[in-house]
Amino acid sequence: MAPALLRPASPCAPPPYAADSARSRGTVSIADSRARGGALRAGGSGRTKASRDHSGLTRQLLDFQHDTVNEVDGDYDPFGQLKARFMDFKQRNYVENYSKYQNLAEQQTPEFMVVACADSRVCPTSILGLQPGDAFTVRNIANLVPPYEHGASETTAALEFAVNTLKVPNVLVVGHSRCGGIQALMSMKNKKDDSSSRSFIRDWVSLGKSARLSTEAAAGNLNFESQCRHCEKESINSSLLNLLTYPWIEERVKEGTLNLHAGYYNFVDCTFEKWTLVYRPGLEGGSKYAIKNRSTWS
């Protein structure tokens, strides 16, 4: 069922991509960093023990001699395949595109800011073929974007850096099928949970309460699985609208220098649906929001 939050607008082709757009956007240079000698000193008492502990671990890393050694003797090594894949990446990608990676070492000008789910089956790099430097990405449970008033989080910090510093021209929120976070959201009681134990998951997914309520109103007569499927898309639209609560995002959207997009990956049948948010702040009467450029890749 299509999400009830947004209404489709007439298709509108996106502006042509300028080859030199990277020069008009912000770039971040990585300053030369040199190891500093001397052990870190922890002052005071009480909470300084953790500081001393991680200082000791860091010193071990700095003192480590990078010789070829067997990491695990006779036991299962979970990093065996990862090491093989890294070495394959280095030979097939890094070495063959050395100049590209040297440029990336100095600066990044990604085309996209991607907000995706932490689900292991939904890796935006793999399903969209993103290459290093293409997208500044943050992943969280249920790919939620909190409203501006929610305050600091890893997601809001990533958005601030991507939009204000890197000046990405596109923000893409990617949801997916059979999302455990959305299932947790739809399973929440309307009344406050009586459990005395704290749940970080419950606290986090409660940010999508409006999407759950909209789903219950629009699809409450359907079975639980169908309601979750509806809410998976409804929550994406809710996150798109939450993006506009950030003053610096709204400003750039109104200027036309930032576009907000949605994606929905169904890994059951391997399809990808995408749409773009239309924001018309000066519109009197009717909705200020609509969707355009909706398509399904299958």
Side-chain angles (χ1 to χ4, degrees), residues 271-290:
T271 58
F272 192 89
E273 185 178 354
K274 58 82 60 180
W275 61 94
T276 298
L277 177 69
V278 177
Y279 177 49
R280 302 168 292 191
L283 183 67
E284 294 184 5
S287 176
K288 296 181 180 180
Y289 314 102

Side-chain angles (χ1 to χ4, degrees), residues 234-254:
E234 193 69 61
S235 67
I236 298 172
N237 287 328
S238 178
S239 286
L240 289 179
L241 298 186
N242 282 346
L243 285 170
L244 289 170
T245 65
Y246 296 78
W248 25 273
I249 290 182
E250 182 189 24
E251 180 181 4
R252 289 198 60 203
V253 170
K254 289 194 295 186

Side-chain angles (χ1 to χ4, degrees), residues 37-142:
L40 297 176
R41 296 184 179 179
S45 59
R47 292 184 298 176
T48 60
K49 185 179 186 299
S51 177
R52 289 196 299 270
D53 287 345
H54 76 67
S55 295
L57 291 174
T58 303
R59 176 52 53 193
Q60 290 182 44
L61 290 173
L62 292 174
D63 292 342
F64 178 72
Q65 298 299 317
H66 292 277
D67 297 327
T68 301
V69 296
N70 292 326
E71 296 180 358
V72 180
D73 295 327
D75 295 328
Y76 167 69
D77 180 9
F79 287 91
Q81 288 189 350
L82 294 185
K83 178 180 178 182
R85 291 171 188 170
F86 172 76
M87 297 309 297
D88 182 68
F89 160 78
K90 184 173 183 178
Q91 293 301 320
R92 292 179 180 270
N93 295 82
Y94 182 85
V95 173
E96 293 183 8
N97 300 280
Y98 182 75
S99 59
K100 172 186 175 180
Y101 284 95
Q102 288 302 298
N103 289 334
L104 285 175
E106 298 300 326
Q107 64 181 24
Q108 59 171 321
T109 55
E111 182 73 11
F112 288 93
M113 163 67 190
V114 175
V115 181
C117 186
D119 193 301
S120 63
R121 301 164 292 184
V122 189
C123 177
T125 298
S126 295
I127 65 177
L128 297 175
L130 297 171
Q131 300 299 310
D134 287 349
F136 191 82
T137 305
V138 65
R139 300 176 67 176
N140 62 48
I141 298 295

Side-chain angles (χ1 to χ4, degrees), residues 29-43:
S29 298
I30 300 176
D32 181 27
S33 60
R34 297 178 174 83
R36 295 183 178 136
L40 297 176
R41 296 184 179 179

